[in-house]
């Protein structure tokens, strides 16, 4: 996060959960932070009775809840007005910051549908909702086959590749990184492409590819990154569970092996399900 959240108001015993990202907030300050940084992911249907009840009952901000209800009941109410009312109830954000928020909301209204959908997909990507993000990127590409904006399309392909890579669809991710590079010539896309290929091909192959794309300087950085990643993986809880499971397998203790592998499988399933909710 870009700022330390100092909670001066009451902290809720029960969180408010945003339906589309499943992000939980426990305080007024956390609610403001989420709203301020996720404008494309907040639709008017979420600024409604369930949130108002939580604000009144869990945060004890009865005046704010009442004000939001009254605003919502007016025919002329606007999402920007509702969100701004939340942000300005206390002084968590400065006046210039709130003004910038309003400007961003107005700019968002002027976006084309593909631009807005990409903004939403990027938001889901930030919260590791890789399946949702990839589905929206595909939707944009499928519904706009004649979109002639190389930079915009390149950004879509790059971010789609990120989503695919995290979902272990490595070959498809590599293709998207390469497509992004062909459209934009941005070094970050060819770097990610080579990094991904380096997990599947020999170093000699990567050196040939790097030479072809005139980015020989990336090779050492790529293998340093892989070495760091391997160290991170070996320190992860899942890896340690698998290591212990393999110890029991080698000792022919299949009962303990199966139990430990079941916990690993369950953990991976839970992480996958979180993407689809």
């Amino acid at each position: 996060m870009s700022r330390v959240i100092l909670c001066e108001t009451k902290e809720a015993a029960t969180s408010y959960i945003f339906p589309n990202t499943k992000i939980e907030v426990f305080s007024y300050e956390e609610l403001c932070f989420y709203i301020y940084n996720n404008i494309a992911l907040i639709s008017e249907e979420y600024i409604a009775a369930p949130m108002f009840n939580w604000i009144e009952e869990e945060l004890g901000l009865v005046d704010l809840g009442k004000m939001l209800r009254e605003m919502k009941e007016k025919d002329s109410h606007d999402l920007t007005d509702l969100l701004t009312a939340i942000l300005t109830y206390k002084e968590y954000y400065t006046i210039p910051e709130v003004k910038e928020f309003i400007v961003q909301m107005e700019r968002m209204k002027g976006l084309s549908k593909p631009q807005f959908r990409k903004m939403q997909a990027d938001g889901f990507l930030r919260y590791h909702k890789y399946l949702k993000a990839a589905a929206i990127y595909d939707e944009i590409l499928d519904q706009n086959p004649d979109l002639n904006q190389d930079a915009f399309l390149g950004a879509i392909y790059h971010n789609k590749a990120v989503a695919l890579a995290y979902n272990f669809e490595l070959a498809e991710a590599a293709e998207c990184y390469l497509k992004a590079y062909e459209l934009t010539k941005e070094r970050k896309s060819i770097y990610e492409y080579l990094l991904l290929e380096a997990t599947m091909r020999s170093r000699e192959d990567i050196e040939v590819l790097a030479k072809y794309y005139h980015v020989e300087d990336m090779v050492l950085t790529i293998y340093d990154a892989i070495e760091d990643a391997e160290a991170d993986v070996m320190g992860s809880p899942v890896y340690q569970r698998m290591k212990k499971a393999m110890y029991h397998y080698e000792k022919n203790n299949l009962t303990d092996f199966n139990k430990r592998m079941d916990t690993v499988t369950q953990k991976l399933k839970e992480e996958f399900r979180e993407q689809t909710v």
Side-chain angles (χ1 to χ4, degrees):
M1 290 187 179
S2 60
R3 70 161 68 200
V4 175
I5 299 180
L6 299 175
C7 298
E8 298 179 356
T9 56
K10 175 185 175 182
E11 185 170 331
T14 303
S15 64
Y16 176 78
I17 303 174
F18 283 89
N20 57 348
T21 59
K22 301 304 176 186
I23 296 298
E24 299 181 76
V25 293
F26 285 88
S27 67
Y28 166 78
E29 290 82 2
E30 289 179 346
L31 175 65
C32 287
F33 184 87
Y34 183 90
I35 288 172
Y36 195 91
N37 291 282
N38 295 283
I39 58 175
L41 297 179
I42 302 174
S43 63
E44 191 172 322
E45 63 183 301
Y46 303 148
I47 314 302
M51 179 185 286
F52 304 157
N53 293 339
W54 178 78
I55 288 172
E56 293 169 342
E57 296 167 10
E58 291 292 333
L59 299 184
L61 302 177
V62 178
D63 290 345
L64 176 57
K66 180 181 178 181
M67 178 174 63
L68 292 169
R69 291 180 193 279
E70 292 174 351
M71 292 177 66
K72 184 86 173 184
E73 290 171 0
K74 295 180 180 179
D75 293 335
S76 59
H77 75 269
D78 178 83
L79 178 60
T80 302
D81 295 336
L82 289 165
L83 298 181
T84 303
I86 295 173
L87 295 179
T88 57
Y89 183 73
K90 299 283 186 179
E91 295 182 355
Y92 180 63
Y93 283 103
T94 65
I95 291 176
E97 286 174 323
V98 173
K99 287 182 178 179
E100 177 59 25
F101 173 81
I102 294 171
V103 169
Q104 293 298 325
M105 287 291 293
E106 292 306 309
R107 285 176 180 166
M108 190 175 68
K109 293 176 183 177
L111 296 177
S112 66
K113 184 178 178 181
Q115 290 171 327
F116 177 68
R117 290 296 279 161
K118 179 186 176 295
M119 195 174 179
Q120 288 184 313
D122 293 346
F124 285 125
L125 192 64
R126 285 198 307 275
Y127 288 113
H128 313 300
K129 304 297 182 181
Y130 303 121
L131 293 178
K132 281 187 177 182
I136 296 175
Y137 294 132
D138 280 337
E139 171 199 307
I140 298 169
L141 295 170
D142 291 342
Q143 294 183 3
N144 302 274
D146 299 323
L147 197 59
N148 188 24
Q149 300 175 30
D150 287 355
F152 181 66
L153 286 171
I156 290 175
Y157 276 109
H158 182 95
N159 290 357
K160 178 185 173 183
V162 173
L164 291 171
Y166 273 105
N167 203 38
F168 300 104
E169 298 177 68
L170 303 186
E172 295 84 350
E175 290 179 7
C176 287
Y177 278 131
L178 194 55
K179 180 66 174 178
Y181 179 71
E182 290 171 353
L183 287 164
T184 66
K185 303 303 179 189
E186 289 194 11
R187 283 175 60 88
K188 68 176 182 179
S189 293
I190 200 63
Y191 172 82
E192 296 294 345
Y193 166 72
L194 293 173
L195 180 62
L196 204 53
E197 288 291 336
T199 66
M200 301 181 286
R201 302 169 66 167
S202 69
R203 182 159 182 157
E204 290 76 13
D205 287 343
I206 301 308
E207 288 173 348
V208 170
L209 285 170
K211 186 174 182 179
Y212 177 79
Y213 290 108
H214 307 292
V215 289
E216 295 94 331
D217 60 306
M218 289 185 179
V219 174
L220 184 59
T221 305
I222 285 169
Y223 283 94
D224 284 345
I226 291 174
E227 187 176 330
D228 290 342
E230 288 174 345
D232 290 341
V233 168
M234 286 189 286
S236 69
V238 170
Y239 179 85
Q240 293 302 319
R241 291 192 189 106
M242 291 187 69
K243 187 176 179 181
K244 290 177 181 178
M246 291 309 299
Y247 170 81
H248 288 287
Y249 180 80
E250 291 168 357
K251 297 295 184 181
N252 204 32
N253 187 350
L254 298 184
T255 300
D256 280 348
F257 168 76
N258 288 331
K259 286 181 180 178
R260 291 180 184 278
M261 286 306 298
D262 284 344
T263 63
V264 170
T265 302
Q266 184 60 33
K267 177 63 176 176
L268 294 174
K269 285 181 178 179
E270 289 173 1
E271 291 178 356
F272 181 78
R273 288 193 193 104
E274 286 180 1
Q275 294 189 43
T276 62
V277 176

